[in-house]
């Protein structure tokens, strides 16, 4: 079991990645159509409020998943979930910058052993520095069975 | 049933259940659109099983998409301010699923509604659960 408090004190809230993105309109439309979205602002690029759909924001991947000096925790890593907080519409075809930090580290113990949760938060900004959205990726590391 | 404004929403009301298309064709189409295809786990049962999976899966964020679709159809004038999805277990392609949501809180000061969300299979096993905060016009 890693020292969770030590990891938190050493790694939380420190930006470890900065990656540029441009979300193409066609790609966002195709993703939205693929899950059956019907709202026109997500599937019609000619709509005056056309914007990227939330799942495509959740799909944006930082250049690194964890800080370069983050220790290996062993275990079995799984995608535990995703979250998106929308502050303003994210437009397609414009440069975006994703700044990523570890937002939370915690552990849970249960019948199947201990699981460590690493929550990476990417904050998306436009070129003017406006914070448009945040996405959380929850990585779960489960103890290997003895 | 849809809601247009906050006063249409009642505490505890259920959104209409939806049985989404989680066929292999649908998971393949979503994986290709989002850029996750190629490895076979979302597109081919045989290739997925060769990777130790029980079969081809729906990408986790496809579940987020299915939930956003249900919210958008329920509240055509609503805006999803926040959605958090926990991937509790894989959604298997070619298995039937039910998307459900229920209103758990209403904040009249902020014009916000809180929803509990879930996607279950036909065995009533939760695959994805989460919460969403939706803003609605006040009147």
């Amino acid at each position: 079991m890693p020292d969770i408090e030590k990891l938190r004190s050493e790694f939380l809230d420190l930006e470890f990645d900065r990656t540029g993105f441009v979300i193409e309109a066609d790609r966002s439309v195709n993703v939205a159509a693929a899950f059956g979205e019907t709202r026109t602002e997500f599937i019609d690029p000619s709509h005056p409020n056309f914007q990227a759909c939330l799942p495509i924001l959740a799909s944006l991947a930082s250049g690194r998943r964890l800080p370069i000096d983050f220790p290996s925790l062993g275990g079995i890593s799984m995608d535990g979930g995703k979250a998106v907080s929308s502050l303003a519409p994210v437009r397609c075809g414009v440069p975006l910058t994703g700044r990523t930090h570890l937002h939370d580290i915690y552990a849970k113990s249960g019948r199947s052993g201990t699981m460590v949760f690493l929550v990476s938060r990417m904050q998306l900004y436009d070129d003017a520095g406006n914070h448009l959205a945040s996405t959380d990726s929850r990585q779960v590391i489960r103890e290997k069975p003895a | 049933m849809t809601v247009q404004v906050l006063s249409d929403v009642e505490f505890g009301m259920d959104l209409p259940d939806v049985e989404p298309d989680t066929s292999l064709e649908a998971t393949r189409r979503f994986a290709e659109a989002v850029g996750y295809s190629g490895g076979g786990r979302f597109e081919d049962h045989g290739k997925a099983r060769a990777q130790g999976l029980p079969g081809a899966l729906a990408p986790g964020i496809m579940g987020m998409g299915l939930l956003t679709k249900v919210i958008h159809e329920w509240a055509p004038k609503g805006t999803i301010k926040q959605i958090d999805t926990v991937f509790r277990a894989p959604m298997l392609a070619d298995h039937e699923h039910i998307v459900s949501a229920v209103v758990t809180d209403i904040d009249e000061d902020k014009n916000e509604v809180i929803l509990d969300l879930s996607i279950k299979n036909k065995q009533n096993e939760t695959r994805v659960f989460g919460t969403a905060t939706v803003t609605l016009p006040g009147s």
Side-chain angles (χ1 to χ4, degrees):
Chain A
M1 174 74 172
D3 185 338
I4 299 296
E5 284 309 313
K6 184 168 184 286
L7 291 174
R8 289 175 61 88
S9 67
E10 290 180 3
F11 292 102
L12 284 192
D13 299 325
L14 300 174
E15 181 181 317
F16 64 85
D17 186 83
R18 191 172 288 204
T19 299
F21 304 97
V22 176
I23 300 172
E24 300 300 338
D26 286 352
R27 184 163 171 250
S28 185
V29 167
N30 289 339
V31 169
F35 65 77
E37 178 61 74
T38 54
R39 291 265 288 260
T40 50
E41 61 262 46
F42 299 102
I43 57 175
D44 180 1
S46 69
H47 190 282
N49 193 29
F50 177 66
Q51 57 191 278
C53 61
L54 298 186
I56 206 167
L57 302 182
S59 78
L60 299 177
S62 54
R64 294 192 57 81
R65 291 182 71 182
L66 290 169
I68 195 165
D69 51 347
F70 196 84
S72 170
L73 303 182
I76 301 163
S77 177
M78 298 173 292
D79 185 359
K82 298 272 195 276
V84 179
S85 297
S86 177
L87 305 174
V90 176
R91 306 300 180 191
C92 295
V94 302
L96 303 167
T97 301
R99 303 177 192 171
T100 305
H101 64 272
L102 272 173
H103 173 69
D104 202 2
I105 304 171
Y106 57 97
K108 287 184 178 178
S109 294
R111 283 175 299 180
S112 56
T114 299
M115 294 186 291
V116 177
F117 294 76
L118 306 173
V119 182
S120 296
R121 175 164 293 176
M122 176 190 288
Q123 296 171 308
L124 273 177
Y125 295 85
D126 64 14
D127 264 3
N130 297 308
H131 185 189
L132 305 176
S134 295
T135 68
D136 286 354
S137 296
R138 192 179 295 109
Q139 183 182 355
V140 184
I141 299 174
R142 185 190 294 267
E143 277 183 328
K144 282 183 179 166
Chain B
M1 179 191 175
T2 62
V3 296
Q4 303 298 321
V5 294
L6 191 73
S7 56
D8 293 341
V9 181
E10 294 177 14
F11 177 79
M13 76 189 297
D14 292 307
L15 280 63
D17 284 351
V18 171
E19 296 187 23
D21 181 0
T22 47
S23 65
L24 185 65
E25 170 59 22
T27 64
R28 182 196 61 74
R29 191 166 56 241
F30 185 90
E32 284 183 357
V34 81
Y36 288 177
S37 61
R41 64 170 48 195
F42 305 121
E43 313 114 270
D44 185 302
H45 287 303
K47 288 180 180 175
R49 290 187 187 110
Q51 296 172 43
L53 300 166
L57 315 176
I61 59 169
M62 183 174 172
M64 176 187 284
L66 297 172
L67 290 161
T68 64
K69 167 190 158 70
V70 166
I71 297 167
H72 283 159
E73 290 185 346
W74 172 70
K77 296 178 181 172
T79 300
I80 300 174
K81 185 176 172 185
Q82 198 260 355
I83 183 166
D84 188 356
T85 51
V86 176
F87 306 153
R88 188 174 187 276
M91 288 173 59
L92 296 178
D94 284 335
H95 285 229
E96 294 179 343
H97 294 86
I98 298 176
V99 180
S100 304
V102 59
V103 175
T104 58
D105 200 6
I106 301 170
D107 187 329
E108 294 182 352
D109 294 332
K110 296 180 179 177
N111 287 349
E112 288 179 356
V113 174
I114 309 295
L115 303 173
D116 271 6
L117 313 168
S118 71
I119 302 177
K120 295 181 179 180
N121 62 16
K122 281 297 178 89
Q123 290 72 47
N124 206 34
E125 297 166 330
T126 300
R127 310 282 89 183
V128 179
F129 67 91
T131 60
T133 304
V134 182
T135 56
L136 281 164
S139 58

